[in-house]
Amino acid sequence: MKEEIEVALEGLEFYAYHGLYEEETRTGNRFIVDLKVSYPKTNYLRDDISEVVDYVKLFQIVKREMEIPSKLLEIVAQKIVDAIFNLYPNITSAEAAVSKMNPPFGSLCNKSKVTIRRVNE
């Protein structure tokens, strides 16, 4: 029997300066990040953080990437996924969804959202 573990961080909120337009990079905006990471459960779990993906480290990756302004949300999500795979090369998948709250469209829009999911095959 094959088992997998999924770790998720949902609703991580940041104020950041991502955006294509000058006003967005000057005034900033509120962003929400959702993250999922899956990896194989290879043995009987013990109560030891070294055997699992540490969600505190995942949070630190997201926080670090959110502090670096990018023009595109796709780049932010890609950098988050890349960093997770660099830290945990044994994972089977990682997904980062980055939402910009109330994007400046000149019309009502709750959020714009970009999701990148990488599967290690």
Side-chain angles (χ1 to χ4, degrees):
M1 173 178 21
K2 181 181 174 184
E3 292 180 296
E4 222 176 46
I5 297 172
E6 181 178 274
V7 175
L9 296 177
E10 299 176 341
L12 300 174
E13 190 169 328
F14 300 91
Y15 198 87
Y17 297 87
H18 307 300
L20 192 58
Y21 303 105
E22 184 180 337
E23 183 177 331
E24 295 177 291
T25 61
R26 190 176 61 250
T27 61
N29 203 340
R30 192 168 63 99
F31 294 83
I32 306 293
V33 178
D34 296 312
L35 192 64
K36 288 182 190 174
V37 175
S38 296
Y39 59 98
K41 181 177 174 275
T42 56
N43 55 16
Y44 186 79
L45 289 177
R46 297 181 315 220
D47 207 6
D48 184 348
I49 191 71
S50 69
E51 294 185 5
V52 298
V53 170
D54 184 346
Y55 60 79
V56 172
K57 289 182 181 179
L58 295 178
F59 173 79
Q60 291 168 344
I61 288 170
V62 174
K63 182 179 184 298
R64 182 181 67 234
E65 295 304 332
M66 291 302 294
E67 291 172 348
I68 304 168
S70 293
K71 291 180 182 177
L72 302 174
L73 296 182
E74 289 86 346
I75 299 302
V76 179
Q78 178 181 290
K79 287 181 175 182
I80 291 169
V81 169
D82 288 348
I84 292 168
F85 267 94
N86 286 337
L87 183 60
Y88 294 108
N90 65 320
I91 63 174
T92 54
S93 68
E95 177 179 301
V98 181
S99 299
K100 179 185 288 188
M101 307 311 289
N102 302 308
F105 291 150
S107 183
L108 183 61
C109 177
N110 289 334
K111 64 182 175 181
S112 57
K113 182 178 179 181
V114 170
T115 302
I116 290 187
R117 177 171 169 57
R118 182 181 305 161
V119 178
N120 191 9
E121 296 182 26

